[in-house]
Amino acid sequence: MAKPQKVVTIQRHIMEQQALHPTASGDFTRLLWDLVLAFKMISREVTRAGLAEILGYAGRENVQGEQVTKLDEFAQKRIFEQMDHGGHLCCMASEEADGLISIPPQFPRGKYILLFDPLDGSSNIEVNASLGTIFSIHRKRTPGVDGTVDDCLQRGIEQVAAGYCVYGSSTMLVYTAGRGVHGFTLDPSLGEFLLSHEQMQIPSRGKSYSLNEGNESSWDEGTRRYVRHLKEKDPATNRPYGLRYIGTLVADFHRILLKGGIFLYPPDCTDPQTPKPKLRLLYEVAPMSLIAEQAGGAATTGHERVLDVQPTEIHQRISVALGSREDVREYEDFVQGRR
Ligand code: AFP
C-alpha cells in the first residue's frame, strides 16, 4: 500500500520555522499568517476577473449597483487593510502608493516594514495570463515607534523575508525567511496553502532566457552580444536557448526558479549617458534576488550584486539579470567586457 503523504499547511510550516528560533516572539509568524490570508483573498478575486465583463466593468457599477474595484486597487486595499492593524508593522510601501504608507494612529505599531507590489503584471489581467504579488519584509532600524522612509531604504541583503504569490493555473506562494526557499500550492477546496516544493533549488544552468526582445534597439552593447550568444547554435552548451516571456515578473521568474535559465530587464540605453531601468528595486527586484540566492541562484545589475545595492528612494528602478548561477555569471562577463 502506498505510504500516506505528510500534508503540511503553510501555517504549520511557518510555526515549525519559528520553533528553530527559541527567542522568537511570534510576531513574524503572525505577520506571515495575515499576509497569507490577503493572498487567498486576492487569488479568489483574480479567478473571478473574467467575470467583470458580465457582472460590470471595473471602475463602474455592476448590475447590482455596487462599485466594482479594479483588480490592482483591490489587491492594494486588501493587503493594506489586512496588515494595518495586526501590530506587527510600523509602516508599509507599495507600488500603488506614492510615499510611505503609515499605520493608522488607532492601531499599534510593530517592528517590521512591509514593501509590496500588490498586483504584478497587471497589464496581463484582461488576457487571462498569470499575475502575482511580491513582498519584502525588513526589520525597523530607526528609533521611535513610527516607521520612516529610512526604514524602507535597506539593502536587499537585510531583508528578513521575501516571497511572492503567483496566480497561475494554480495559485502558489513561494517564500524565504533566510533558510531556503519553500513553495506552497493553494488547494481552493480546503482554502489552504499546502507545502508542495520544499527547499527549492534553481538548476545551476538553464536553457531558456526571458526578456522583452522588442526592446533590443535600446539595450546596452553587452546585453546585445549576450543575447546573440544565447541564440547561436552549440548543442554542447544547450544553445540556442529558448525564449519564454510572459511580461509578469513573478510568472517569468517562477518558471526560472523551477526550470533554470535567466530573466533579464536591462536598462533603456537610448541615451547612453542616462540609462533608464524599468523594474523597481524594493518590491520587485530585491525580493526576487533574495529568493534566487536562497535557491542557489544569483542576481546582478550587470555590474553589482543586487542584494548589495543601497536604495536611495522608495520607487527606485534598477536593471537586473537573475536566475541560474552560471547563466548570470556569463551575463556579467559579457556586460563587463570579459567576453
Ligand atoms: P505591469 O504590472 O504594469 O504589467 O508591469 C509588469 C512589470 O513590472 C514586470 O512584472 C514585468 O517583468 C515587466 O513589467 C514587463 O515589462 P514590459 O512590458 O516592458 O516587457
Side-chain angles (χ1 to χ4, degrees), residues 177-221:
R179 287 173 181 265
V181 178
H182 310 287
F184 302 80
T185 303
L186 181 65
D187 181 332
S189 61
L190 294 175
E192 292 276 13
F193 279 103
L194 305 178
L195 181 62
S196 50
H197 298 67
E198 199 167 13
Q199 288 292 356
M200 300 172 85
Q201 284 288 310
I202 304 185
S204 59
R205 192 175 262 284
K207 46 187 182 193
S208 67
Y209 67 106
S210 185
L211 92 169
N212 189 337
E213 285 256 13
N215 293 336
E216 179 173 357
S217 63
S218 62
W219 295 343
D220 55 278
E221 188 49 30

Side-chain angles (χ1 to χ4, degrees), residues 9 44 78 141 148 223 225 234 251 286 316 320:
T9 63
R44 185 183 58 186
R78 202 57 272 147
R141 64 175 181 183
T148 64
T223 302
R225 286 189 305 107
D234 178 26
Q316 187 168 338
V320 65

Side-chain angles (χ1 to χ4, degrees), residues 95 117 119-124 134 211-212 215 245-252 263 265 278-280 284:
E95 200 204 355
D117 181 355
L119 205 65
D120 177 54
S122 45
S123 52
N124 273 329
I134 312 174
L211 92 169
N212 189 337
N215 293 336
Y245 190 69
I246 296 170
T248 297
L249 171 64
V250 171
D252 285 314
F263 173 90
Y265 212 114
K278 171 169 179 180
L279 299 187
R280 311 290 186 145
E284 288 188 307

